Amino acid sequence: MRGANRAARNNTLKNERSWLIILVPKPKTITHKELHKLAREARGYAKKIYLHWTAGNYNDAYDDYHFNIGKDGELYITCKTLLETKSHTYNRNKESVSIALCCCAEGRLYGHGRVDFGEQPPTPVQLEKMSQVIAILAHALEIDITFSNVMTHAEAAFMDGYGPGSGDKEMRWDLWYLPDLPFNRAMRPGGTALREKAQWYYDYYFKSEMFK
C-alpha cells in the first residue's frame, strides 16, 4: 500500500482522521539548549511524544508537527510554544509533542511488513537526531522514555484501529520498521529502535553534553 504523498494531497480536511497539510517555507532552526528551555515551559502539560515522518521531501518542513528534522539533522521548530496543539496524531494531539523526519515522499508498504522508503529514506543522521530530541524532551518534560509515553504514529495507529492491515483508507505506518543504525542495517520495529537510542542518549551522552 502506498504511503501518503504530500504532492498528491490538498489542504482540506476530508474527514475527522485527515490532517491539514501546511508547508513551512523558511522554518527556523533550534539548538539542543534552546529546545530544552522551551520544553521546560511545557512541563506538566505535555505528557506524550509522537514520532512521524512527513511523507514529503528531505528538507520540506510541515506545520503539522512541533519539530521537523531535515536530511542532515537540521532541527526545525514550527511552533512558538509546546503548549500549542498540532494536528499530528488522530485523537492524540492534546498535551503532546510531535517530531517528524522530513523524508519518504514515495514510501510504500507491502504485505508481510516489507517496506520501501522510496528515494528519500530516513537517513542515519535523521534517526540519531530524532533520538537526541526524544531524550532532551523527556528530560525537560520529566517523562520516562517508555512505549506509553513515546510512540511512533504506526504504533498509535495500531492501537487506535487505523494501522497497517486495518483496511482504513487513512491508514498510517510512519516509522513502523527502521534500520537499526548505526550498529547494523537489519530492520526492526521503529518505535523500539528509537526508544532504545533515546534512552542511551539520556543515560550516557547528555549527562555531560546536553546543554553545553
Side-chain angles (χ1 to χ4, degrees), residues 12-20 90 168-170:
T12 61
L13 290 177
K14 292 180 288 187
N15 59 46
E16 66 174 0
R17 204 174 283 168
S18 294
W19 290 267
L20 183 63
Y90 169 65
D168 195 300
K169 65 180 181 180
E170 293 292 337

Side-chain angles (χ1 to χ4, degrees), residues 81-150:
T81 170
L82 297 188
L83 302 177
E84 182 179 342
T85 299
K86 295 284 188 175
S87 298
H88 52 86
T89 311
Y90 169 65
N91 210 31
R92 294 171 178 264
N93 296 318
K94 294 182 179 180
E95 299 182 351
S96 65
V97 179
S98 55
I99 314 164
L101 303 181
C102 302
C103 61
C104 296
E106 297 292 340
R108 293 176 181 267
L109 176 64
Y110 300 96
H112 307 291
R114 293 190 300 118
V115 173
D116 178 358
F117 296 118
E119 296 183 358
Q120 299 184 68
T123 67
V125 175
Q126 283 182 310
L127 297 177
E128 294 303 320
K129 176 62 75 170
M130 177 172 271
S131 302
Q132 293 168 3
V133 172
I134 294 168
I136 294 171
L137 289 173
H139 184 275
L141 297 173
E142 295 185 352
I143 61 175
D144 295 327
I145 302 173
T146 61
F147 173 81
S148 61
N149 293 337
V150 181

Side-chain angles (χ1 to χ4, degrees), residues 128 135 145 195-206:
E128 294 303 320
I145 302 173
R195 285 187 292 271
E196 288 182 0
K197 293 175 188 291
Q199 191 65 58
W200 183 88
Y201 279 111
Y202 188 101
D203 290 339
Y204 299 105
Y205 183 71
F206 286 136

